Amino acid sequence: MGLSLALNTARASLAASSNQIAVSARNVAGASDPGYSRKIAALVTTGAGGAVVNITRATDAALYARTLSASSSAAYGDAVLTGLTTLARTVGDTEDATSPAARFAGFEAALQAAANQPDSTDLARAAVKAARALASSLNDAAGAVQAARAESDAGMQASVARINDLLGQFDRANTAVTRGLAFGADATDALDDRDRALTALSAEIGVTAVVREGGDVALYTDSGVPLYDRGARAVRFTPTPTFTPGSTGGMVVIDNVPVTGPNSPMPLASGRLAGLAAFRDTIAPAYEAQLDAMAGGLIESFAETDAIGFDSGPRAGLFTDGTSALLPSDRLGLSSRIGVNAAVDPARGGQLPLLRTGGLNGTDYRDLAAGTDASYAGRLRTLVSNLTAPKTFDPGLGLGTSLSLADFAENAAGWIEGRRKDASEAASYQKTLLSRANEALSNVAGVNGDDETALTLQLERSYTASAKIISVINDLLKTLLDTVR
């Protein structure tokens, strides 16, 4: 081997070792960054003693895709669990004296006490007060449902804003990747930036990444709607101004396709946005329908009929919907409107004896057997019987089809707690799955400080050897030149 060739080889080795040491230093610096992937400096010979360093990064496409899926599922479960926990804490605890289930039990006991001693004004007043507390608890529960839906709606708006921001970050990183690869530059840092944006995006919305020629990546939602294809697609959301019983929340639209709501042709299945939409549009309205069924059952249980002649039908008695004396034909929103009839409520100038005699809708609706006997308990016992008797409920409510109002209220509380428990277990499982996926990916693509230190020591020895060879060649060339002179 000639001295010039040996010199060129040593110089190339020195430069390569220097570049490899620099890459190892980058790895050590990025070891604490969870979004950083280990860089690999591969030495590629070019002939005639030349060599270049080709920088790639450690990765595993299958593991990364599994991590994205786990991230979306975990965020979905967490969003649903948060909504259910809020709802359960507000309206679903049977041990809470202010919950509808507890108020039903309290009202039943107060009404039974009044029936046992019908001539007691204090017991009658306590029964009406308990009825008022029961109606208020249903009002409060309905309000809590609407507040929880509004909170989820606000969360959806924030999630959409986050998605649009992350798509912008992804676009910039994707452009840097494709440009770097096209010019043969080191694009590994841009690849890391793109993966960071994609990982954060997967927590907001279920996403699938498709790698194409030239390092370009297209993104689709888990339902197949284009999210990014050589440019970010518009993600729009119309916030709901106010929530009322039966109201429908605003839809999220991606690339002009609705991806949330009951009429969505391609609904989202995972991600925080999908979880918030599921709670707002499905879970919370389901509980609201149960509350409305309780309110409707109360109004019907205490309805009055005309004892003298015939009219348009039964009328609301102790409980009314606040809008009409007739029994409501539609139960939608009843839990937010139900209240105690002013005719019997002393707090609003009503007459307590009407609880015992009836006639809240006029004398034609009085119990003819009551007369003027203050000790008559027949009507009160009938009211207790009506309250505790099994009633028929819509099987779609999921709580049973034939049970008393008190049992129905307890089942509703149990339904909320059951859903919360299931959501908690699912969220815990998905978080564990995400942790395991991240751990597996880190083992493949993460930086091990000990390994990098050992590699650096090897590279430094190689660097020292190359420098020594250059020194020897320099001495030989000097000797040769001295001999020629």
Side-chain angles (χ1 to χ4, degrees):
M1 176 186 292
L3 290 179
S4 60
L5 179 58
L7 179 61
N8 290 335
T9 301
R11 290 175 60 188
S13 176
L14 193 69
S17 296
S18 178
N19 289 335
Q20 288 177 304
I21 291 173
V23 170
S24 184
R26 284 170 60 187
N27 287 338
V28 173
S32 60
D33 182 357
Y36 181 88
S37 60
R38 178 168 52 88
K39 306 303 183 290
I40 303 171
L43 195 62
V44 180
T45 59
T46 60
V52 295
V53 174
N54 184 27
I55 301 176
T56 58
R57 64 178 192 147
T59 187
D60 187 311
L63 271 178
Y64 184 62
R66 188 69 189 92
T67 300
L68 294 179
S69 175
S71 176
S72 298
S73 297
Y76 176 94
D78 188 62
V80 172
L81 176 60
T82 299
L84 283 168
T85 299
T86 300
L87 212 55
R89 185 169 55 245
T90 306
V91 298
D93 187 359
T94 57
E95 301 299 323
D96 184 356
T98 62
S99 70
R103 293 295 191 189
F104 266 102
F107 173 58
E108 180 183 335
L111 190 62
Q112 183 64 62
N116 292 338
Q117 195 173 343
D119 58 345
S120 172
T121 302
D122 290 340
L123 292 178
R125 181 177 288 105
V128 172
K129 183 179 179 180
R132 191 164 55 240
L134 174 56
S136 295
S137 72
L138 291 174
N139 299 156
D140 293 342
V145 170
Q146 301 306 336
R149 295 186 70 196
E151 185 176 347
S152 293
D153 194 77
M156 291 175 66
Q157 184 178 14
S159 180
V160 168
R162 174 80 170 146
I163 289 170
N164 284 317
D165 178 62
L166 289 170
L167 286 174
Q169 296 179 33
F170 182 88
D171 180 51
R172 291 188 290 273
N174 190 62
T175 300
V177 168
T178 54
R179 183 182 293 117
L181 293 178
F183 288 99
D186 177 11
T188 55
D189 285 339
L191 285 165
D192 284 351
D193 290 339
R194 188 172 70 180
D195 281 357
R196 287 189 189 95
L198 183 54
T199 299
L201 187 63
S202 69
E204 301 296 331
I205 186 171
V207 62
T208 300
V210 179
V211 182
R212 302 190 294 199
E213 186 178 357
D216 184 37
V217 169
L219 302 180
Y220 300 88
T221 68
D222 54 17
S223 58
V225 179
L227 196 60
Y228 179 93
D229 190 351
R230 294 183 174 85
R233 300 302 172 90
V235 182
R236 302 191 306 274
F237 174 65
T238 304
T240 310
T242 56
F243 279 94
T244 57
S247 62
T248 301
M251 296 184 299
V252 176
V253 178
I254 301 177
D255 199 27
N256 297 320
V257 178
V259 294
T260 63
N263 298 321
S264 170
M266 304 175 76
L268 299 174
S270 61
R272 181 176 293 106
L273 182 61
L276 291 168
F279 177 80
R280 186 199 67 175
D281 299 334
T282 304
I283 298 173
Y287 184 69
E288 184 179 24
Q290 295 170 7
L291 294 173
D292 290 342
M294 296 179 210
L298 273 175
I299 293 174
E300 293 172 0
S301 295
F302 290 86
E304 293 185 333
T305 56
D306 191 341
I308 304 300
F310 295 96
D311 62 354
S312 56
R315 293 177 177 266
L318 179 60
F319 294 97
T320 73
D321 69 351
T323 60
S324 172
L326 299 177
L327 295 185
S329 57
D330 185 2
R331 293 187 173 184
L332 180 63
L334 271 182
S335 55
S336 63
R337 305 193 308 271
I338 190 173
V340 171
N341 198 320
V344 74
D345 188 356
R348 292 184 288 171
Q351 303 177 46
L352 277 176
L354 293 180
L355 180 65
R356 175 182 60 80
T357 65
L360 285 74
N361 291 281
T363 56
D364 284 2
Y365 291 83
R366 289 174 62 89
D367 183 352
L368 297 181
T372 58
D373 184 1
S375 62
Y376 178 74
R379 173 176 167 76
L380 291 174
R381 291 196 180 96
T382 299
L383 294 179
V384 173
S385 177
N386 290 345
L387 178 65
T388 57
K391 293 174 176 55
T392 301
F393 293 95
D394 183 354
L397 297 174
L399 303 179
T401 57
S402 179
L403 61 167
S404 69
L405 285 171
D407 290 341
F408 186 88
E410 289 185 3
N411 287 359
W415 181 86
I416 284 286
E417 180 58 26
R419 294 293 297 266
R420 190 202 63 77
K421 181 180 179 182
D422 291 345
S424 177
E425 292 175 352
S428 177
Y429 171 77
Q430 292 299 338
K431 287 179 180 178
T432 301
L433 191 63
L434 175 59
S435 177
R436 296 290 184 270
N438 280 328
E439 183 179 348
L441 184 61
S442 178
N443 290 336
V444 173
V447 177
N448 185 300
D450 293 339
D451 290 346
E452 291 300 324
T453 300
L455 177 61
T456 301
L457 291 175
Q458 292 177 9
L459 293 171
E460 287 176 349
R461 285 194 290 268
S462 176
Y463 184 92
T464 301
S466 298
K468 183 64 175 178
I469 291 174
I470 292 175
S471 178
V472 171
I473 293 173
N474 180 63
D475 292 342
L476 290 174
L477 287 173
K478 183 177 179 181
T479 301
L480 177 62
L481 291 174
D482 290 343
T483 301
V484 170
R485 292 193 188 100

